Structure formats: C-alpha cells, structure tokens
Amino acid sequence: MDLFNEITRKWLKHDVVIYSTMIQGLFQVGRCGDARKLFDEMHGKGQMPGQLTYGIILEGLCNNHQIEEALSLFHLMGDSKLNTDIVVYNILIDGASQCGKFDIARRLFQDLTDKGLCHNVQTYNVMISGLCREGLVGDAKDLFLKMAESDFPPNNVTYRVLLQGYLKNQYYDDIEILLHEMYGRRYSLDASTLSLLLDQITAGLLGNPLLELIGKLVPKELVGASSFST
C-alpha cells in the first residue's frame, strides 16, 4: 500500500496492471471491501478493467465466500464482452459450487449452452466436482461420459476428481474400471486421491487386489511417502 500510494505522491499514474496487482493482493489478505473500493476507483478514473482484472475480482470475491457480490457484478456487466469468456464462467461456477450454491452453478453451466459458448475441460471438471460434492454421483458420471464424446475429453484432473467423488460417496462399482482407464492413458494419482484409496482399502471397503493396480498409478515422487515403500 505504501508503494501504491507513493506513485500518486510522485505525480505518476496507476495503470491497469498496478490496480490489478493491488486488488489481487487485498483479496488474498481478506480485505474484500478495500479491493472492491479500489476496483471502483480504477473504473472511476477511466481505467477500464480487462479480462484479467475482471477475473481477479470475481475470483477474489468467490474465494472469500462472497458469491452474491460476484454474481451482482457479473449481472451488472450484462452482455458485455467480459461475460463471454469461458474463464469467467469457470470462476463463477466453481465459486457457487464451493459456497454451497450448486443450483446457481448449474444455471451458469446451462447459461453457457444458451449463449452458444463452449464448455472446456476446466468447466467440465468444476461441474463434475460440484456434482460429486452434492452427492449426485450418477449425474457426475453422466457428465463424464458426455465429456468423453465432446471436443474436450477427460484429462488427468477429471479422472482424479471423479475418483474422489466415487470414494467420498462410497460409489465403489466403477472404481476399478476408472483406475484401469487411468493406467491405459498413463495418468497418475495425486497425494489426496492416493490417500483416500489407501484409507478405503485399510477400512476393508475396497479389496486388497487393487493395490497392485494403484501402485502402477503412483508417481515416483509419491512412492517414498506412501505405504508402497514398505
């Protein structure tokens, strides 16, 4: 803040990059009101927010559980060019889902189709994660299958998200199939998914024969930290 204010004292002007950096920093320390004031100041001084700045303020609001404020700003922008970017929708869909407003996330997902905008891999991943969080694993699986037929097939993150959804919701029927698909695509497990799998095996909810397959999906950097090293 001292450096930011020094710019004015030296008769220099703040530009979009400086404003964006400060707004992001304020959100990171939870000063949402100050961040929003700075955004309004920037707008008032004729520094029009670009896609980056717009994304920063929406993500900052969502990360601080102010989804209603983020949606208010989104609707205020209306049909502007800023609201035709898939990144903006991904931020809001994820933010609404994380804040327990999954009905809003679903509407935004449908809004993309209505506006003729294409979902990308991140959009699908965010929705699959939200569906699993809501316990709608069947719907998550359907979206996963739809994604596989789209121009944006599932990636490593998609498989991990769906696998975690299966595990957390005790939806065990398709876990082995999913693991075999991951192995076939040369995907790997991350630490959190691996931990969930091992916990379920230890609890007797998954069979020990899966250990060999799981071991093939563990990246080298995780081997030393897992039970596969013993």
Side-chain angles (χ1 to χ4, degrees), residues 111-122:
D111 193 35
L112 278 170
T113 304
D114 295 342
K115 286 186 175 180
L117 301 174
C118 292
H119 309 101
N120 63 13
V121 174
Q122 187 181 356

Side-chain angles (χ1 to χ4, degrees), residues 119-151:
H119 309 101
N120 63 13
V121 174
Q122 187 181 356
T123 318
Y124 280 111
N125 289 348
V126 165
M127 274 303 293
I128 289 170
S129 176
L131 286 165
C132 289
R133 191 180 297 111
E134 293 293 310
L136 302 171
V137 184
D139 289 346
K141 182 182 176 182
D142 289 343
L143 191 57
F144 174 80
L145 294 174
K146 181 180 178 181
M147 184 181 180
E149 298 172 355
S150 73
D151 294 331

Side-chain angles (χ1 to χ4, degrees), residues 156-220:
N156 199 5
V157 174
T158 317
Y159 275 89
R160 292 173 181 176
V161 166
L162 187 57
L163 191 55
Q164 287 193 25
Y166 283 170
L167 291 165
K168 291 175 181 177
N169 290 280
Q170 299 182 338
Y171 198 90
Y172 300 124
D173 293 345
D174 295 325
I175 285 179
E176 186 171 356
I177 295 172
L178 211 59
L179 290 172
H180 275 293
E181 285 186 18
M182 289 183 72
Y183 180 66
R185 294 173 182 269
R186 299 192 178 188
Y187 290 159
S188 62
L189 296 167
D190 61 338
S192 59
T193 311
L194 174 61
S195 178
L196 281 172
L197 280 164
L198 295 180
D199 286 346
Q200 302 281 17
I201 289 173
T202 302
L205 298 170
L206 288 173
N208 284 329
L210 278 180
L211 279 171
E212 183 179 352
L213 176 57
I214 293 169
K216 295 176 181 178
L217 294 166
V218 179
K220 291 180 181 179

Side-chain angles (χ1 to χ4, degrees), residues 19-71:
Y19 273 114
S20 300
T21 303
M22 279 303 303
I23 289 168
Q24 187 172 41
L26 288 166
F27 274 124
Q28 286 173 346
V29 295
R31 292 173 60 179
C32 303
D34 290 336
R36 185 59 197 265
K37 285 178 184 177
L38 205 56
F39 178 76
D40 292 338
E41 176 188 312
M42 169 187 169
H43 200 271
K45 290 187 176 180
Q47 296 283 355
M48 301 305 294
Q51 204 69 51
L52 177 62
T53 312
Y54 189 47
I56 285 172
I57 192 164
L58 289 178
E59 190 166 28
L61 289 167
C62 289
N63 288 343
N64 285 277
H65 306 289
Q66 295 192 19
I67 184 63
E68 289 83 4
E69 185 74 14
L71 288 168

